[in-house]
């Protein structure tokens, strides 16, 4: 894929691991909707895997996301 989000995915601990997911997403104005959907699908799949393993999860980052039309002139 052409889009390159920056991410760090690591595991802390052994008995009851904590998955730490840190993501810096590209700006919406410089990224196609298809690329953003692909990125969010990858994130969703990884979270699903963590949940299936019943691991604890810390997810954080700057997703550069603006949702909906709450901001005048905001794109979908």
């Amino acid at each position: 894929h052409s889009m390159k989000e920056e991410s760090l995915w690591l595991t802390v601990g052994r008995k009851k691991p904590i998955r730490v997911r840190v993501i810096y997403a590209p700006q919406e104005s410089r990224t196609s909707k298809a690329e953003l959907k692909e990125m969010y699908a990858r994130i969703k799949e990884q979270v699903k895997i963590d949940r299936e393993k019943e691991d604890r999860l810390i997810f954080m980052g700057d997703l550069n996301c603006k949702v909906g039309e709450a901001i005048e002139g905001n794109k979908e």
Side-chain angles (χ1 to χ4, degrees), residues 1-7 24-27 31 35 39 42:
H1 57 84
S2 61
M3 182 189 60
K4 302 289 182 195
E5 73 269 11
E6 296 178 35
S7 61
Y24 179 81
Q27 293 181 351
T31 310
E35 290 172 315
M39 178 193 71
R42 285 191 302 274

Side-chain angles (χ1 to χ4, degrees), residues 12-52:
V12 179
R14 292 181 188 205
K15 278 189 172 185
K16 187 78 172 160
I18 299 173
R19 308 280 184 199
V20 180
R21 312 296 189 208
V22 182
I23 295 181
Y24 179 81
Q27 293 181 351
E28 288 180 327
S29 62
R30 298 179 184 165
T31 310
S32 74
K33 273 189 188 181
E35 290 172 315
L36 290 170
K37 284 182 180 183
E38 183 181 318
M39 178 193 71
Y40 287 117
R42 285 191 302 274
I43 293 169
K44 185 177 180 178
E45 182 60 30
Q46 188 60 52
V47 169
K48 179 181 173 187
I49 290 167
D50 292 342
R51 285 186 173 175
E52 287 171 356

Side-chain angles (χ1 to χ4, degrees), residues 2 33 36 45 56 58 63-64 72 74:
S2 61
K33 273 189 188 181
L36 290 170
E45 182 60 30
R56 295 176 291 170
I58 298 173
L63 299 178
N64 275 309
E72 186 177 332
N74 192 36

